[in-house]
Amino acid sequence: MKTRIKICGLTREADVDAAVEAGADAVGFVFYPPSPRYVTPERAAELARRVPPFVDVVGLFVNASAEEIAAACATVPLNLLQFHGDETPAFCRSFARPWLRAARVRPGLDLVEFACSYSDARGLLLDAFVEGYGGGGHVFDWTLIPAGLPGHLVLSGGLHADNVGDAIRRVRPAAVDVSSGVEAGKGIKDHEKVAAFVAAVRAADAAIGGV
Ligand SMILES: O=C(O)c1ccccc1NCC(=O)[C@H](O)[C@H](O)COP(=O)(O)O
Protein backbone atom coordinates (compact mmCIF):
# COMPACT_ATOMS: atom_id res chain seq x y z
CA MET A 1 0.00 0.00 0.00
CA LYS A 2 1.26 3.50 -0.79
CA THR A 3 2.11 5.51 2.29
CA ARG A 4 0.78 9.00 1.75
CA ILE A 5 2.93 12.01 2.59
CA LYS A 6 2.09 15.40 4.09
CA ILE A 7 4.71 18.14 4.12
CA CYS A 8 3.66 20.64 6.77
CA GLY A 9 4.48 24.20 7.75
CA LEU A 10 4.98 25.67 4.28
CA THR A 11 5.51 29.43 4.07
CA ARG A 12 7.15 30.03 0.66
CA GLU A 13 6.18 29.49 -2.96
CA ALA A 14 9.39 27.62 -3.81
CA ASP A 15 8.77 25.21 -0.94
CA VAL A 16 5.23 24.47 -2.06
CA ASP A 17 6.57 23.80 -5.55
CA ALA A 18 9.31 21.53 -4.15
CA ALA A 19 6.84 19.52 -2.07
CA VAL A 20 4.49 19.04 -5.02
CA GLU A 21 7.35 18.23 -7.37
CA ALA A 22 8.74 15.66 -4.93
CA GLY A 23 5.38 13.91 -4.89
CA ALA A 24 3.75 14.99 -1.63
CA ASP A 25 0.11 13.98 -1.32
CA ALA A 26 -0.69 16.94 0.94
CA VAL A 27 0.72 20.28 1.99
CA GLY A 28 -0.01 21.83 5.37
CA PHE A 29 -0.41 25.47 6.38
CA VAL A 30 -0.14 26.42 10.05
CA PHE A 31 -2.79 28.91 11.21
CA TYR A 32 -1.36 29.12 14.74
CA PRO A 33 0.17 32.57 15.34
CA PRO A 34 2.79 31.52 17.92
CA SER A 35 4.31 29.10 15.44
CA PRO A 36 7.35 30.23 13.44
CA ARG A 37 5.60 28.53 10.50
CA TYR A 38 2.43 30.62 10.87
CA VAL A 39 0.84 32.01 7.74
CA THR A 40 -2.31 34.11 7.48
CA PRO A 41 -5.25 32.66 5.53
CA GLU A 42 -4.62 35.28 2.84
CA ARG A 43 -0.99 34.15 2.50
CA ALA A 44 -2.04 30.50 2.50
CA ALA A 45 -4.53 31.26 -0.28
CA GLU A 46 -1.69 32.69 -2.38
CA LEU A 47 0.45 29.61 -1.75
CA ALA A 48 -2.45 27.20 -2.32
CA ARG A 49 -2.91 28.49 -5.86
CA ARG A 50 0.33 26.64 -6.71
CA VAL A 51 -1.10 23.30 -5.58
CA PRO A 52 -2.43 21.14 -8.43
CA PRO A 53 -5.59 19.08 -8.26
CA PHE A 54 -5.48 15.87 -6.18
CA VAL A 55 -2.87 17.23 -3.76
CA ASP A 56 -4.64 18.01 -0.50
CA VAL A 57 -4.40 21.42 1.14
CA VAL A 58 -4.48 21.00 4.93
CA GLY A 59 -5.22 23.83 7.36
CA LEU A 60 -3.79 23.35 10.84
CA PHE A 61 -5.42 24.91 13.88
CA VAL A 62 -4.66 24.96 17.60
CA ASN A 63 -7.69 25.90 19.74
CA ALA A 64 -8.82 28.49 17.19
CA SER A 65 -12.31 29.94 17.46
CA ALA A 66 -15.10 28.73 15.20
CA GLU A 67 -15.09 32.19 13.59
CA GLU A 68 -11.35 32.01 12.85
CA ILE A 69 -11.73 28.56 11.30
CA ALA A 70 -14.75 29.61 9.26
CA ALA A 71 -12.82 32.63 8.00
CA ALA A 72 -9.87 30.45 6.99
CA CYS A 73 -12.22 28.03 5.20
CA ALA A 74 -13.76 30.95 3.32
CA THR A 75 -10.33 32.22 2.24
CA VAL A 76 -8.29 29.07 1.56
CA PRO A 77 -9.42 26.01 -0.46
CA LEU A 78 -8.80 23.62 2.44
CA ASN A 79 -9.47 19.95 1.75
CA LEU A 80 -8.76 18.92 5.34
CA LEU A 81 -8.85 20.67 8.71
CA GLN A 82 -6.22 19.48 11.21
CA PHE A 83 -7.10 20.06 14.84
CA HIS A 84 -3.93 20.04 16.89
CA GLY A 85 -5.09 21.51 20.19
CA ASP A 86 -7.74 20.40 22.66
CA GLU A 87 -10.74 20.60 20.32
CA THR A 88 -13.73 18.40 21.20
CA PRO A 89 -15.26 15.91 18.73
CA ALA A 90 -18.37 18.09 18.39
CA PHE A 91 -16.27 21.15 17.59
CA CYS A 92 -14.15 19.28 15.05
CA ARG A 93 -17.15 17.97 13.11
CA SER A 94 -19.05 21.29 13.20
CA PHE A 95 -17.38 22.66 10.07
CA ALA A 96 -18.80 20.05 7.70
CA ARG A 97 -15.35 19.43 6.21
CA PRO A 98 -13.10 16.36 6.40
CA TRP A 99 -10.78 16.71 9.34
CA LEU A 100 -7.76 15.19 11.04
CA ARG A 101 -7.47 14.88 14.81
CA ALA A 102 -4.00 15.13 16.25
CA ALA A 103 -3.14 13.23 19.41
CA ARG A 104 0.03 14.21 21.24
CA VAL A 105 1.18 10.81 22.40
CA ARG A 106 2.38 10.33 25.96
CA PRO A 107 2.25 7.56 28.53
CA GLY A 108 -1.19 7.36 30.10
CA LEU A 109 -3.09 8.60 27.05
CA ASP A 110 -5.56 5.88 26.09
CA LEU A 111 -5.20 6.07 22.33
CA VAL A 112 -7.96 3.54 21.67
CA GLU A 113 -10.43 5.58 23.72
CA PHE A 114 -9.15 8.76 22.06
CA ALA A 115 -9.49 7.28 18.58
CA CYS A 116 -13.00 6.00 19.30
CA SER A 117 -14.15 9.38 20.53
CA TYR A 118 -12.95 10.97 17.30
CA SER A 119 -14.09 8.10 15.11
CA ASP A 120 -15.53 10.31 12.37
CA ALA A 121 -12.19 11.98 11.73
CA ARG A 122 -10.68 11.34 8.29
CA GLY A 123 -7.53 10.33 10.17
CA LEU A 124 -5.79 10.28 13.54
CA LEU A 125 -2.45 12.07 13.45
CA LEU A 126 -0.14 10.79 16.17
CA ASP A 127 2.46 13.35 17.15
CA ALA A 128 4.99 13.80 19.91
CA PHE A 129 3.91 15.61 23.06
CA VAL A 130 6.00 18.76 22.78
CA GLU A 131 5.85 22.29 24.17
CA GLY A 132 3.98 24.53 21.77
CA TYR A 133 1.63 21.73 20.64
CA GLY A 134 3.58 20.54 17.62
CA GLY A 135 6.28 21.01 15.04
CA GLY A 136 8.90 20.12 17.58
CA GLY A 137 11.01 17.65 15.64
CA HIS A 138 10.78 15.03 18.39
CA VAL A 139 10.04 11.34 17.90
CA PHE A 140 7.71 9.70 20.36
CA ASP A 141 7.84 6.06 21.47
CA TRP A 142 6.10 4.23 18.65
CA THR A 143 5.60 1.19 20.89
CA LEU A 144 2.93 3.29 22.65
CA ILE A 145 0.76 2.88 19.54
CA PRO A 146 -1.64 -0.01 20.23
CA ALA A 147 -2.34 -2.53 17.51
CA GLY A 148 -5.67 -2.19 15.76
CA LEU A 149 -6.30 1.51 16.25
CA PRO A 150 -9.49 2.32 14.33
CA GLY A 151 -9.33 4.62 11.32
CA HIS A 152 -6.49 5.93 9.20
CA LEU A 153 -3.30 6.55 11.16
CA VAL A 154 -0.99 9.44 10.23
CA LEU A 155 2.41 9.10 11.89
CA SER A 156 4.11 12.34 12.79
CA GLY A 157 6.74 13.74 15.10
CA GLY A 158 10.46 13.98 14.42
CA LEU A 159 10.39 12.07 11.14
CA HIS A 160 13.10 12.52 8.52
CA ALA A 161 14.65 10.64 5.61
CA ASP A 162 16.80 8.48 7.89
CA ASN A 163 14.04 7.19 10.21
CA VAL A 164 10.85 7.23 8.14
CA GLY A 165 11.59 3.86 6.57
CA ASP A 166 11.88 2.25 10.00
CA ALA A 167 8.71 4.07 11.06
CA ILE A 168 6.79 2.67 8.09
CA ARG A 169 8.09 -0.85 8.62
CA ARG A 170 7.22 -0.82 12.34
CA VAL A 171 3.97 1.17 12.39
CA ARG A 172 2.54 0.72 8.87
CA PRO A 173 0.72 4.07 8.93
CA ALA A 174 -1.67 5.18 6.19
CA ALA A 175 0.37 8.36 5.95
CA VAL A 176 3.36 10.18 7.36
CA ASP A 177 3.66 13.85 8.22
CA VAL A 178 6.82 15.92 8.50
CA SER A 179 7.92 19.45 9.16
CA SER A 180 11.24 19.90 11.01
CA GLY A 181 12.88 16.91 9.34
CA VAL A 182 12.76 18.55 5.93
CA GLU A 183 13.81 22.04 6.98
CA ALA A 184 16.89 24.24 6.80
CA GLY A 185 15.23 26.43 9.44
CA LYS A 186 11.79 26.87 11.00
CA GLY A 187 9.35 27.29 8.11
CA ILE A 188 12.13 27.13 5.53
CA LYS A 189 12.10 23.82 3.70
CA ASP A 190 15.30 22.22 2.40
CA HIS A 191 14.33 20.92 -1.01
CA GLU A 192 16.92 18.14 -0.98
CA LYS A 193 15.60 16.96 2.38
CA VAL A 194 12.05 17.03 1.03
CA ALA A 195 13.05 14.91 -1.96
CA ALA A 196 15.07 12.54 0.23
CA PHE A 197 12.14 12.11 2.60
CA VAL A 198 9.74 11.21 -0.21
CA ALA A 199 12.30 8.85 -1.73
CA ALA A 200 12.76 7.11 1.63
CA VAL A 201 9.00 6.62 1.94
CA ARG A 202 8.79 5.20 -1.57
CA ALA A 203 11.73 2.87 -0.88
CA ALA A 204 10.08 1.59 2.28
CA ASP A 205 6.82 1.00 0.43
CA ALA A 206 8.65 -0.89 -2.29
CA ALA A 207 10.52 -3.02 0.24
CA ILE A 208 7.25 -3.94 1.94
CA GLY A 209 5.68 -4.69 -1.43
CA GLY A 210 3.72 -1.51 -1.87
CA VAL A 211 3.88 0.56 -4.96
O1 LIG B 1 4.44 23.04 12.78
C1 LIG B 1 4.22 23.77 13.73
O2 LIG B 1 4.87 24.81 13.97
C2 LIG B 1 3.10 23.47 14.68
C3 LIG B 1 2.83 24.35 15.72
C4 LIG B 1 1.78 24.07 16.60
C5 LIG B 1 0.99 22.93 16.44
C6 LIG B 1 1.24 22.05 15.39
C7 LIG B 1 2.29 22.30 14.51
N1 LIG B 1 2.58 21.42 13.49
C8 LIG B 1 1.74 20.28 13.31
C9 LIG B 1 2.20 19.30 12.33
O3 LIG B 1 1.37 18.63 11.71
C10 LIG B 1 3.67 18.96 12.26
O4 LIG B 1 3.96 18.50 10.97
C11 LIG B 1 3.92 17.86 13.28
O5 LIG B 1 3.78 18.42 14.58
C12 LIG B 1 5.29 17.23 13.12
O6 LIG B 1 6.27 18.21 13.24
P1 LIG B 1 7.84 17.78 13.19
O7 LIG B 1 8.07 16.93 14.41
O8 LIG B 1 8.56 19.08 13.20
O9 LIG B 1 8.04 16.99 11.93
Side-chain angles (χ1 to χ4, degrees), residues 52-82:
F54 315 126
V55 176
D56 277 347
V57 177
V58 182
L60 189 149
F61 302 92
V62 178
N63 299 326
S65 69
E67 293 74 19
E68 288 167 331
I69 295 170
C73 290
T75 306
V76 194
L78 299 175
N79 305 98
L80 271 174
L81 309 182
Q82 180 176 324

mmCIF file of all heavy atoms in Angstrom, residues 52-82:
data_model
loop_
_atom_site.group_PDB
_atom_site.id
_atom_site.type_symbol
_atom_site.label_atom_id
_atom_site.label_comp_id
_atom_site.label_asym_id
_atom_site.label_seq_id
_atom_site.Cartn_x
_atom_site.Cartn_y
_atom_site.Cartn_z
ATOM 1 N N PRO A 52 -1.588 21.701 -7.364
ATOM 2 C CA PRO A 52 -2.427 21.138 -8.432
ATOM 3 C C PRO A 52 -3.582 20.304 -7.862
ATOM 4 O O PRO A 52 -3.574 19.961 -6.672
ATOM 5 C CB PRO A 52 -1.453 20.254 -9.212
ATOM 6 C CG PRO A 52 -0.436 19.842 -8.213
ATOM 7 C CD PRO A 52 -0.297 20.998 -7.264
ATOM 8 N N PRO A 53 -4.515 19.951 -8.718
ATOM 9 C CA PRO A 53 -5.595 19.079 -8.256
ATOM 10 C C PRO A 53 -5.029 17.762 -7.715
ATOM 11 O O PRO A 53 -3.964 17.302 -8.116
ATOM 12 C CB PRO A 53 -6.419 18.826 -9.521
ATOM 13 C CG PRO A 53 -6.059 19.921 -10.457
ATOM 14 C CD PRO A 53 -4.649 20.324 -10.130
ATOM 15 N N PHE A 54 -5.792 17.190 -6.744
ATOM 16 C CA PHE A 54 -5.477 15.874 -6.177
ATOM 17 C C PHE A 54 -4.257 15.882 -5.261
ATOM 18 O O PHE A 54 -3.734 14.815 -4.919
ATOM 19 C CB PHE A 54 -5.339 14.806 -7.284
ATOM 20 C CG PHE A 54 -6.439 14.876 -8.313
ATOM 21 C CD1 PHE A 54 -6.152 14.986 -9.657
ATOM 22 C CD2 PHE A 54 -7.768 14.910 -7.912
ATOM 23 C CE1 PHE A 54 -7.172 15.099 -10.595
ATOM 24 C CE2 PHE A 54 -8.785 15.022 -8.839
ATOM 25 C CZ PHE A 54 -8.495 15.123 -10.187
ATOM 26 N N VAL A 55 -3.794 17.082 -4.889
ATOM 27 C CA VAL A 55 -2.868 17.229 -3.761
ATOM 28 C C VAL A 55 -3.651 17.998 -2.689
ATOM 29 O O VAL A 55 -4.148 19.106 -2.958
ATOM 30 C CB VAL A 55 -1.596 18.004 -4.145
ATOM 31 C CG1 VAL A 55 -0.705 18.214 -2.908
ATOM 32 C CG2 VAL A 55 -0.822 17.262 -5.231
ATOM 33 N N ASP A 56 -3.817 17.383 -1.518
ATOM 34 C CA ASP A 56 -4.644 18.008 -0.498
ATOM 35 C C ASP A 56 -3.989 19.254 0.096
ATOM 36 O O ASP A 56 -2.770 19.281 0.295
ATOM 37 C CB ASP A 56 -4.920 17.015 0.632
ATOM 38 C CG ASP A 56 -6.090 16.089 0.313
ATOM 39 O OD1 ASP A 56 -6.830 16.370 -0.644
ATOM 40 O OD2 ASP A 56 -6.257 15.081 1.024
ATOM 41 N N VAL A 57 -4.824 20.219 0.417
ATOM 42 C CA VAL A 57 -4.399 21.424 1.141
ATOM 43 C C VAL A 57 -4.976 21.322 2.549
ATOM 44 O O VAL A 57 -6.199 21.276 2.740
ATOM 45 C CB VAL A 57 -4.896 22.701 0.444
ATOM 46 C CG1 VAL A 57 -4.495 23.935 1.251
ATOM 47 C CG2 VAL A 57 -4.328 22.788 -0.982
ATOM 48 N N VAL A 58 -4.078 21.230 3.534
ATOM 49 C CA VAL A 58 -4.480 21.000 4.926
ATOM 50 C C VAL A 58 -4.286 22.277 5.740
ATOM 51 O O VAL A 58 -3.234 22.922 5.653
ATOM 52 C CB VAL A 58 -3.647 19.865 5.554
ATOM 53 C CG1 VAL A 58 -4.090 19.581 6.990
ATOM 54 C CG2 VAL A 58 -3.739 18.592 4.704
ATOM 55 N N GLY A 59 -5.316 22.671 6.469
ATOM 56 C CA GLY A 59 -5.223 23.831 7.359
ATOM 57 C C GLY A 59 -5.102 23.361 8.792
ATOM 58 O O GLY A 59 -5.935 22.573 9.269
ATOM 59 N N LEU A 60 -4.087 23.820 9.492
ATOM 60 C CA LEU A 60 -3.786 23.349 10.838
ATOM 61 C C LEU A 60 -4.155 24.415 11.868
ATOM 62 O O LEU A 60 -3.766 25.581 11.744
ATOM 63 C CB LEU A 60 -2.289 23.040 10.928
ATOM 64 C CG LEU A 60 -1.827 22.347 12.191
ATOM 65 C CD1 LEU A 60 -0.645 21.456 11.905
ATOM 66 C CD2 LEU A 60 -1.464 23.342 13.270
ATOM 67 N N PHE A 61 -4.925 23.983 12.860
ATOM 68 C CA PHE A 61 -5.421 24.906 13.883
ATOM 69 C C PHE A 61 -5.079 24.380 15.274
ATOM 70 O O PHE A 61 -5.044 23.160 15.492
ATOM 71 C CB PHE A 61 -6.939 25.064 13.760
ATOM 72 C CG PHE A 61 -7.401 25.555 12.406
ATOM 73 C CD1 PHE A 61 -7.749 24.649 11.406
ATOM 74 C CD2 PHE A 61 -7.457 26.910 12.140
ATOM 75 C CE1 PHE A 61 -8.170 25.094 10.151
ATOM 76 C CE2 PHE A 61 -7.879 27.366 10.895
ATOM 77 C CZ PHE A 61 -8.211 26.468 9.894
ATOM 78 N N VAL A 62 -4.861 25.309 16.194
ATOM 79 C CA VAL A 62 -4.665 24.961 17.604
ATOM 80 C C VAL A 62 -5.614 25.830 18.428
ATOM 81 O O VAL A 62 -5.384 27.028 18.603
ATOM 82 C CB VAL A 62 -3.207 25.191 18.061
ATOM 83 C CG1 VAL A 62 -3.066 24.873 19.556
ATOM 84 C CG2 VAL A 62 -2.228 24.376 17.235
ATOM 85 N N ASN A 63 -6.705 25.214 18.892
ATOM 86 C CA ASN A 63 -7.687 25.901 19.742
ATOM 87 C C ASN A 63 -8.151 27.238 19.158
ATOM 88 O O ASN A 63 -8.360 28.214 19.895
ATOM 89 C CB ASN A 63 -7.099 26.098 21.146
ATOM 90 C CG ASN A 63 -6.757 24.775 21.808
ATOM 91 O OD1 ASN A 63 -7.453 23.777 21.587
ATOM 92 N ND2 ASN A 63 -5.675 24.736 22.564
ATOM 93 N N ALA A 64 -8.297 27.280 17.843
ATOM 94 C CA ALA A 64 -8.823 28.491 17.195
ATOM 95 C C ALA A 64 -10.331 28.575 17.440
ATOM 96 O O ALA A 64 -10.988 27.576 17.744
ATOM 97 C CB ALA A 64 -8.525 28.439 15.697
ATOM 98 N N SER A 65 -10.861 29.773 17.302
ATOM 99 C CA SER A 65 -12.309 29.936 17.464
ATOM 100 C C SER A 65 -13.024 29.442 16.212
ATOM 101 O O SER A 65 -12.428 29.347 15.135
ATOM 102 C CB SER A 65 -12.649 31.414 17.680
ATOM 103 O OG SER A 65 -12.413 32.126 16.463
ATOM 104 N N ALA A 66 -14.296 29.167 16.354
ATOM 105 C CA ALA A 66 -15.096 28.733 15.200
ATOM 106 C C ALA A 66 -15.078 29.809 14.126
ATOM 107 O O ALA A 66 -15.010 29.508 12.929
ATOM 108 C CB ALA A 66 -16.527 28.428 15.653
ATOM 109 N N GLU A 67 -15.096 31.080 14.549
ATOM 110 C CA GLU A 67 -15.090 32.189 13.589
ATOM 111 C C GLU A 67 -13.773 32.227 12.815
ATOM 112 O O GLU A 67 -13.761 32.450 11.604
ATOM 113 C CB GLU A 67 -15.311 33.515 14.331
ATOM 114 C CG GLU A 67 -16.697 33.676 14.949
ATOM 115 C CD GLU A 67 -16.901 32.821 16.208
ATOM 116 O OE1 GLU A 67 -15.887 32.388 16.807
ATOM 117 O OE2 GLU A 67 -18.068 32.527 16.553
ATOM 118 N N GLU A 68 -12.665 32.003 13.530
ATOM 119 C CA GLU A 68 -11.349 32.007 12.852
ATOM 120 C C GLU A 68 -11.272 30.875 11.838
ATOM 121 O O GLU A 68 -10.769 31.035 10.729
ATOM 122 C CB GLU A 68 -10.244 31.862 13.908
ATOM 123 C CG GLU A 68 -10.030 33.106 14.757
ATOM 124 C CD GLU A 68 -9.160 32.834 15.989
ATOM 125 O OE1 GLU A 68 -9.153 31.690 16.506
ATOM 126 O OE2 GLU A 68 -8.478 33.787 16.443
ATOM 127 N N ILE A 69 -11.782 29.717 12.201
ATOM 128 C CA ILE A 69 -11.727 28.562 11.303
ATOM 129 C C ILE A 69 -12.640 28.789 10.114
ATOM 130 O O ILE A 69 -12.269 28.553 8.956
ATOM 131 C CB ILE A 69 -12.083 27.278 12.064
ATOM 132 C CG1 ILE A 69 -11.024 26.991 13.132
ATOM 133 C CG2 ILE A 69 -12.229 26.100 11.096
ATOM 134 C CD1 ILE A 69 -11.402 25.890 14.106
ATOM 135 N N ALA A 70 -13.824 29.315 10.355
ATOM 136 C CA ALA A 70 -14.749 29.610 9.259
ATOM 137 C C ALA A 70 -14.138 30.628 8.304
ATOM 138 O O ALA A 70 -14.245 30.493 7.072
ATOM 139 C CB ALA A 70 -16.076 30.118 9.816
ATOM 140 N N ALA A 71 -13.457 31.619 8.848
ATOM 141 C CA ALA A 71 -12.824 32.634 7.997
ATOM 142 C C ALA A 71 -11.711 32.009 7.154
ATOM 143 O O ALA A 71 -11.577 32.289 5.954
ATOM 144 C CB ALA A 71 -12.262 33.761 8.859
ATOM 145 N N ALA A 72 -10.937 31.118 7.753
ATOM 146 C CA ALA A 72 -9.871 30.446 6.993
ATOM 147 C C ALA A 72 -10.472 29.579 5.890
ATOM 148 O O ALA A 72 -9.993 29.577 4.750
ATOM 149 C CB ALA A 72 -9.019 29.594 7.930
ATOM 150 N N CYS A 73 -11.564 28.886 6.210
ATOM 151 C CA CYS A 73 -12.215 28.035 5.204
ATOM 152 C C CYS A 73 -12.789 28.856 4.060
ATOM 153 O O CYS A 73 -12.854 28.391 2.919
ATOM 154 C CB CYS A 73 -13.323 27.213 5.857
ATOM 155 S SG CYS A 73 -12.740 25.924 6.955
ATOM 156 N N ALA A 74 -13.192 30.076 4.356
ATOM 157 C CA ALA A 74 -13.758 30.950 3.315
ATOM 158 C C ALA A 74 -12.666 31.561 2.444
ATOM 159 O O ALA A 74 -12.937 32.020 1.324
ATOM 160 C CB ALA A 74 -14.585 32.054 3.976
ATOM 161 N N THR A 75 -11.431 31.557 2.946
ATOM 162 C CA THR A 75 -10.334 32.219 2.244
ATOM 163 C C THR A 75 -9.424 31.244 1.502
ATOM 164 O O THR A 75 -8.901 31.556 0.426
ATOM 165 C CB THR A 75 -9.482 33.016 3.263
ATOM 166 O OG1 THR A 75 -10.343 33.890 3.994
ATOM 167 C CG2 THR A 75 -8.389 33.827 2.582
ATOM 168 N N VAL A 76 -9.253 30.050 2.087
ATOM 169 C CA VAL A 76 -8.292 29.065 1.560
ATOM 170 C C VAL A 76 -9.047 27.807 1.133
ATOM 171 O O VAL A 76 -9.940 27.360 1.864
ATOM 172 C CB VAL A 76 -7.248 28.676 2.638
ATOM 173 C CG1 VAL A 76 -6.070 27.933 1.991
ATOM 174 C CG2 VAL A 76 -6.744 29.901 3.386
ATOM 175 N N PRO A 77 -8.734 27.243 -0.009
ATOM 176 C CA PRO A 77 -9.417 26.011 -0.456
ATOM 177 C C PRO A 77 -8.918 24.786 0.303
ATOM 178 O O PRO A 77 -8.191 23.953 -0.222
ATOM 179 C CB PRO A 77 -9.061 25.933 -1.944
ATOM 180 C CG PRO A 77 -7.726 26.598 -2.038
ATOM 181 C CD PRO A 77 -7.755 27.706 -1.032
ATOM 182 N N LEU A 78 -9.292 24.700 1.578
ATOM 183 C CA LEU A 78 -8.800 23.624 2.445
ATOM 184 C C LEU A 78 -9.572 22.337 2.178
ATOM 185 O O LEU A 78 -10.796 22.306 2.249
ATOM 186 C CB LEU A 78 -8.940 24.029 3.917
ATOM 187 C CG LEU A 78 -8.145 25.280 4.353
ATOM 188 C CD1 LEU A 78 -8.475 25.635 5.796
ATOM 189 C CD2 LEU A 78 -6.648 25.067 4.172
ATOM 190 N N ASN A 79 -8.823 21.265 1.897
ATOM 191 C CA ASN A 79 -9.465 19.953 1.747
ATOM 192 C C ASN A 79 -9.645 19.251 3.084
ATOM 193 O O ASN A 79 -10.519 18.399 3.245
ATOM 194 C CB ASN A 79 -8.601 19.044 0.854
ATOM 195 C CG ASN A 79 -8.295 19.652 -0.488
ATOM 196 O OD1 ASN A 79 -7.223 20.219 -0.694
ATOM 197 N ND2 ASN A 79 -9.237 19.563 -1.408
ATOM 198 N N LEU A 80 -8.768 19.580 4.038
ATOM 199 C CA LEU A 80 -8.761 18.917 5.345
ATOM 200 C C LEU A 80 -8.470 19.954 6.425
ATOM 201 O O LEU A 80 -7.602 20.824 6.224
ATOM 202 C CB LEU A 80 -7.656 17.845 5.396
ATOM 203 C CG LEU A 80 -7.955 16.420 4.959
ATOM 204 C CD1 LEU A 80 -6.665 15.600 4.963
ATOM 205 C CD2 LEU A 80 -8.952 15.752 5.893
ATOM 206 N N LEU A 81 -9.160 19.841 7.536
ATOM 207 C CA LEU A 81 -8.846 20.667 8.705
ATOM 208 C C LEU A 81 -8.091 19.783 9.687
ATOM 209 O O LEU A 81 -8.494 18.640 9.942
ATOM 210 C CB LEU A 81 -10.130 21.193 9.350
ATOM 211 C CG LEU A 81 -11.132 21.892 8.431
ATOM 212 C CD1 LEU A 81 -12.318 22.399 9.244
ATOM 213 C CD2 LEU A 81 -10.482 23.005 7.654
ATOM 214 N N GLN A 82 -6.995 20.252 10.228
ATOM 215 C CA GLN A 82 -6.225 19.481 11.213
ATOM 216 C C GLN A 82 -6.310 20.189 12.553
ATOM 217 O O GLN A 82 -5.873 21.314 12.697
ATOM 218 C CB GLN A 82 -4.762 19.345 10.780
ATOM 219 C CG GLN A 82 -3.902 18.561 11.760
ATOM 220 C CD GLN A 82 -2.487 18.373 11.256
ATOM 221 O OE1 GLN A 82 -2.250 18.195 10.053
ATOM 222 N NE2 GLN A 82 -1.518 18.430 12.150
#
